[in-house]
């Protein structure tokens, strides 16, 4: 029996905890279910740790405290290195405000609120302060709606008023960038739409087909919860309603559909595809297409179960096999996955042993997908022909449904579109008035044109010409968010670094300067202007020489710590790597090294397909290896570098189905050269290749480094199903000398 005194002490302790929430200042951190991941995030936040701690320590109510910890526990590396306490606080407080001020807000379960309303991001966009802005504009809109469904359609119409569809670039725009630009591709329309829905308390998430099998590319759309049930909509497109979109028929042939949730969900509505850091991948294929579960068994070359082996599933898309999913085998060498109809290439690698198997399931012909067995064999070479199918008799299949925008509604939508475009026409006129010759480059900035004009107005005369060239060459996605101050400082510090590098013996012409020093973009990273911070750390004046500068950069890279990154959040850019002292991929190291070298006034470029950087020594381009800077300048440091810097091999070929007199085969669309990744999946060679086709006989001649690769092409039948040819291009072996 518990004594009255002990019971009183216990009760007072409980009351104290309830009154103070889970604040780490007043109670043990172990009380929080997020204590361990929160500490892991803080330990890799670098200089930004204080911002995240300030955010965590701000809240006292149990709900807000738990919400704050939930956000931080799942922060991707890019956010933990850069997001401010103010930004996180605005996101949290306006999420709670929407929960309290909308008719449906409190009906959303706490779990759905955490995973699908509270999150500050949707995909791999750069974090931005969108929530307050969207809430203030959309609350009056949804307050006039009579139901949650009506509110969803009203929000989607609002998104349509802000953007239209157009292909953009490989990295994602955040919602404010998409509004500034007036255009976005499907994933950027999703990011805008999901943010807009969340801003008024409506649960929403991104859903994606990673790659189609019946056509090229992929698609992503929005799933929204209405009265406790998930529905899909075409993002920022009012022509369709709930569960009604142009892709409805296409989704019936989807090999895999994945929905994304922020954080780790205990009991999702469909099977879990994976739980990478900060995210739950939910396999929602069965919502959209016939789907079935299949078991995969991997047997090693020793005839034993291959436990802990990663198995990849690839579809044929853009003339190569594109991985869409991966599963890890259990202790018995087994894994399970739910897939839609059609064919996939299933592959696995363990050391020098591998296996490649095609798996096909056609509804109506087979009850289910057969069990897949992979027998790993040493020195296995995947080559030959394989036929992929996906066409089947589908009584439920729907073509693109009819549009809703008929009559007066269609006229309303056209008026909204014209009003959106009119704003950009006004910006174009202002740019032309300011500088007619440069207007074409300036107008790419969309609604951010005033910031570009301010930079040109305040730029010192000595840098003006270079600033004009930078603006003309910059990606639109960078121009729509850049500030005048960043534009000017980028030019000023680039000139300063060039002068100092010249004094150390590195001289080059203006074209090299503009492309490989002044240019702030390295590859597909999200743009944050890094030059000032990196110059102060790596300039040649402080280092004393170019050689010492490169050595200093190498030492900085060696000191970095690798951390986990999930599919949410952009890559760590140069500033993020510098601030956190971490990296989450080899590409991040390469981009950081390139930016650091450029910041010192030394021309540099990142060879992402090779995995190293090149710098210009005043005479020629030399390799810099982020993983092994001691080999700087050594072109034979690795097998790959020896092949790259040696004379490339030439191959000549013709393709089945492209005989003389037919249309010329196109690279990427009709055939590719692909490398076999060490993990057992193919990667298309996009840059390390050159060649041309002969229109007279439809033959091709291409040059590639002398290394193992694969020529992949396909002939397609009347259903567009591919008969795939895989031919190994073996690197030339050195001839043995005669004795």
């Amino acid at each position: 029996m518990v004594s009255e005194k002990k019971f009183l002490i216990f009760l007072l302790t409980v009351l104290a905890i309830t009154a103070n929430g889970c604040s780490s200042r007043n109670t043990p951190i172990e009380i929080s279910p997020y204590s361990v991941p929160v500490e892991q995030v803080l330990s890799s936040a670098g200089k930004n740790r204080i911002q995240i701690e300030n955010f965590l320590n701000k809240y006292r109510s149990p709900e807000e405290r738990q919400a704050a910890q939930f956000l931080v526990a799942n922060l991707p590396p890019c956010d933990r290195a850069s997001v401010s306490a103010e930004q996180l606080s605005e996101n949290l407080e306006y999420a709670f405000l929407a929960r309290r001020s909308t008719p449906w807000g409190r009906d959303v379960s706490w779990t759905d609120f955490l995973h699908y309303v509270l999150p500050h991001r949707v995909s791999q966009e750069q974090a931005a302060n969108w929530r307050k802005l969207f809430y203030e504009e959309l609350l009056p809109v949804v307050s006039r709606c009579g139901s949650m469904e009506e509110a969803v359609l009203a929000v989607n119409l609002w998104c349509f008023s802000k953007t239209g569809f157009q292909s953009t670039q490989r990295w994602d725009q955040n919602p404010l960038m998409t509004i500034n630009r007036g255009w976005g591709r499907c994933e950027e329309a999703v990011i805008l739409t999901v943010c807009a829905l969340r801003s008024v308390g409506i649960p929403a998430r991104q859903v994606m087909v990673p790659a189609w099998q019946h056509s090229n590319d992929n698609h992503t759309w929005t799933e929204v919860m209405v009265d406790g049930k998930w529905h899909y909509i075409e993002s920022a497109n009012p022509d369709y309603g709930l569960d009604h979109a142009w892709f409805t028929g296409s989704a019936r042939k989807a090999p895999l559909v994945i929905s994304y949730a922020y954080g780790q969900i205990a009991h999702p509505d469909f099977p879990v595809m994976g739980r990478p850091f900060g995210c739950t991948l939910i396999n929602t294929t069965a919502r959209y297409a016939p789907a079935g579960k299949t078991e995969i068994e991997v047997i090693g070359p020793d005839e034993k179960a291959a436990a802990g082996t990663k198995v990849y599933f690839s579809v044929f898309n853009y003339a190569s096999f594109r991985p869409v999913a991966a599963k890890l085998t259990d202790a018995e060498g087994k894994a399970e996955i739910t897939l839609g109809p059609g064919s996939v290439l299933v592959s696995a690698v363990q050391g020098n042993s591998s296996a490649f198997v095609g798996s096909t399931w056609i509804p109506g012909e087979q009850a289910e997908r057969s069990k897949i067995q992979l027998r790993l064999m040493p020195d296995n070479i995947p080559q030959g022909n394989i036929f992929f199918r996906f066409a089947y008799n589908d009584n439920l299949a729907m073509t693109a449904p009819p549009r809703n925008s008929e009559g007066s509604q269609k006229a309303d939508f056209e008026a909204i579109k014209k009003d959106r475009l009119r704003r950009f026409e006004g910006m174009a006129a202002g740019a032309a008035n300011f500088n007619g010759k440069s207007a074409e480059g300036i107008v790419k900035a969309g609604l951010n044109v005033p910031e570009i004009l301010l930079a040109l107005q305040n730029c010192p005369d000595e840098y003006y010409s270079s600033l004009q060239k930078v603006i003309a060459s910059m990606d639109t996605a960078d121009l729509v968010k850049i500030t005048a101050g960043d534009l000017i400082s980028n030019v000023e510090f680039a000139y300063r670094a060039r002068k100092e590098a010249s004094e150390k013996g590195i001289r080059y012409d203006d074209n090299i300067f503009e492309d490989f020093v002044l240019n702030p973009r390295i590859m597909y990273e999200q743009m944050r202007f890094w030059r000032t911070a990196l110059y102060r750390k790596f300039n040649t004046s402080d280092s004393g020489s170019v050689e010492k500068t490169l050595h200093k950069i190498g030492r900085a890279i060696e000191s970095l710590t690798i951390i986990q990154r999930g599919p949410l959040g952009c890559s760590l850019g140069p500033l993020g790597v510098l601030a956190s002292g971490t990296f989450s991929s080899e590409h991040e190291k390469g981009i950081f090294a390139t930016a650091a070298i450029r910041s010192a006034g030394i021309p540099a470029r990142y060879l992402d397909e090779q995995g190293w950087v090149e710098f210009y020594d005043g005479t020629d381009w030399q390799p810099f290896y982020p993983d092994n800077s001691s080999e700087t300048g050594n072109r034979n440091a690795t097998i790959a570098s020896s092949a790259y810097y040696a004379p490339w091999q030439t191959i000549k070929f013709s393709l089945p189905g492209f005989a003389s007199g037919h249309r010329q085969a196109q690279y990427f669309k009709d055939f590719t050269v692909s490398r076999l990744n060490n993990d057992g999946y193919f990667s298309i060679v996009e840059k390390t290749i050159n060649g041309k086709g002969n229109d007279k006989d439809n033959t091709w001649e291409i040059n590639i480094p002398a290394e193992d690769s694969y020529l992949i092409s396909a002939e397609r039948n009347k259903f567009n199903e591919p008969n795939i040819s895989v031919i190994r291009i073996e690197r030339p072996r050195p001839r043995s000398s005669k004795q």
Side-chain angles (χ1 to χ4, degrees), residues 610 639-653 673-675 685 687-692 700-711 727-734:
Q610 279 62 52
I639 294 174
S641 64
S642 295
Y644 182 79
Y645 290 111
W648 288 10
Q649 62 180 325
T650 299
I651 61 171
K652 298 180 181 180
F653 57 91
V673 172
S674 294
R675 292 183 181 136
V685 177
K687 303 170 186 175
T688 318
I689 187 170
N690 58 63
K692 60 182 179 180
W700 268 81
E701 180 177 313
I702 62 174
N703 299 307
I704 55 175
E707 57 187 354
D708 290 342
S709 53
Y710 293 82
L711 178 65
I727 301 173
R728 187 187 186 195
I729 306 171
E730 191 172 1
R731 71 173 180 268
R733 307 296 177 182

Side-chain angles (χ1 to χ4, degrees), residues 253-314:
K253 294 187 284 287
L256 183 69
V257 183
I258 302 173
S259 299
Y260 292 73
Y262 188 91
Q264 303 298 315
I265 295 182
H267 304 289
D269 50 335
F270 277 86
V272 171
M273 184 73 208
R275 294 184 183 275
F277 177 84
C279 180
T280 304
L281 303 178
I282 306 169
N283 188 339
T284 49
T285 309
R287 171 176 288 141
Y288 297 94
K293 184 185 293 185
T294 187
E295 183 181 278
I296 303 93
E297 181 182 24
V298 184
I299 300 173
D302 57 0
E303 295 299 318
K304 295 181 180 179
T309 300
K310 188 168 282 188
V311 180
Y312 285 90
F313 304 84
S314 301

